[in-house]
Amino acid sequence: GIQVEQSPPDLILQEGANSTLRCNFSDSVNNLQWFHQNPWGQLINLFYIPSGTKQNGRLSATTVATERYSLLYISSSQTTDSGVYFCAVPASGGSYIPTFGRGTSLIVHP
Amino acid sequence: KAGVTQTPRYLIKTRGQQVTLSCSPISGHRSVSWYQQTPGQGLQFLFEYFSETQRNKGNFPGRFSGRQFSNSRSEMNVSTLELGDSALYLCASSKMLTTGVFGNTEAFFGQGTRLTVV
């Protein structure tokens, strides 16, 4: 099945810093989503971005489907950005079972 | 509009017991999928239901089962609980017209049920 790798696995920032999270996938996909898991466990949708670039406030994402990667940008980070960021893509071979990366754990210090 | 609602939020069970978790999808969503999250295995897909039919199933033993009702609400059941079943169980819903949960529409997650097996 499709392999999804996220980097870095851990990230520690000072409030106000910018960061880039990466998601590489091993096969072509027609769907990619970024999620933020808050400290209470809920997965919050950030972006549905099979290709192209989207922006939502301080967050933006770019997916280059032909090169099999997606980037999540966080600008002017805040302590509330702390948590784990996951990307998810459909499994390959026509299946619609989602495959998640292992996540990037982000800690933002005040 | 209301989001995906999972009940209960926390649960403690004894090894060998069974447990039922509930998920109410966003109004109008007909697809519900379930996931298990553990520190060791990460987020893993359990199964997906659409119009009361299981359409996809992950690689989990038969102790894990589910169903979906005509109002799209879904339940999952774990029988003969093992210590390793301790996890955060998440469900997600999507509009899903003809394809699976990650076909061509977004999936929205509930807050999860944290199950501890002792």
Side-chain angles (χ1 to χ4, degrees):
Chain A
I2 196 168
Q3 304 298 314
V4 182
E5 293 184 1
Q6 291 187 244
S7 60
D10 300 283
L11 192 54
I12 300 175
L13 301 174
Q14 284 296 129
E15 204 167 27
N18 302 329
S19 62
T20 301
L21 283 58
R22 188 176 180 105
C23 173
N24 291 336
F25 40 95
S26 61
D27 203 350
S28 59
V29 298
N30 61 0
N31 186 330
L32 186 143
Q33 289 191 236
W34 282 98
F35 298 92
H36 173 215
Q37 188 168 39
N38 63 27
W40 296 271
Q42 186 172 14
L43 281 169
I44 308 296
N45 290 50
L46 296 178
F47 295 101
Y48 166 72
I49 185 166
S51 63
T53 297
K54 289 186 177 180
Q55 179 152 10
N56 185 5
R58 297 180 296 103
L59 273 60
S60 65
T62 295
T63 296
V64 184
T66 53
E67 297 187 21
R68 300 179 185 173
Y69 73 88
S70 182
L71 302 173
L72 178 69
Y73 306 96
I74 305 174
S75 64
S76 304
S77 58
Q78 301 176 357
T79 56
T80 51
D81 295 332
S82 297
V84 184
Y85 292 79
F86 292 97
C87 66
V89 299
S92 58
S95 167
Y96 297 104
I97 294 175
T99 298
F100 290 84
R102 297 289 292 188
T104 291
S105 176
L106 173 64
I107 298 174
V108 181
H109 290 302
Chain B
K1 59 183 177 181
V4 179
T5 304
Q6 291 188 244
T7 56
R9 291 291 310 282
Y10 302 92
L11 208 47
I12 300 175
K13 289 288 189 178
T14 303
R15 193 170 42 181
Q17 288 186 310
Q18 73 165 16
V19 66
T20 299
L21 311 181
S22 178
C23 174
S24 294
I26 292 172
S27 178
H29 285 194
R30 295 171 63 190
S31 170
V32 174
S33 52
W34 289 89
Y35 306 82
Q36 182 196 64
Q37 186 177 27
T38 60
Q41 298 299 317
L43 267 161
Q44 292 186 290
F45 171 82
L46 279 158
F47 29 64
E48 185 222 353
Y49 288 87
F50 181 80
S51 291
E52 304 177 63
T53 300
Q54 186 182 89
R55 293 199 299 184
N56 289 294
K57 189 176 193 303
N59 189 26
F60 279 82
R63 300 186 297 107
F64 292 82
S65 63
R67 59 177 175 170
Q68 186 180 33
F69 302 96
S70 58
N71 63 357
S72 294
R73 190 178 71 85
S74 177
E75 291 181 345
M76 69 161 281
N77 184 277
V78 187
S79 62
T80 319
L81 284 166
E82 301 177 359
L83 297 179
D85 298 333
S86 295
L88 178 66
Y89 290 89
L90 294 159
C91 84
S93 76
S94 63
K95 279 189 179 179
M96 250 28 282
L97 299 177
T98 58
T99 55
V101 65
F102 276 82
N104 57 3
T105 61
E106 290 184 72
F108 296 87
F109 283 78
Q111 291 183 300
T113 294
R114 194 167 294 277
L115 171 66
T116 301
V117 182
V118 297

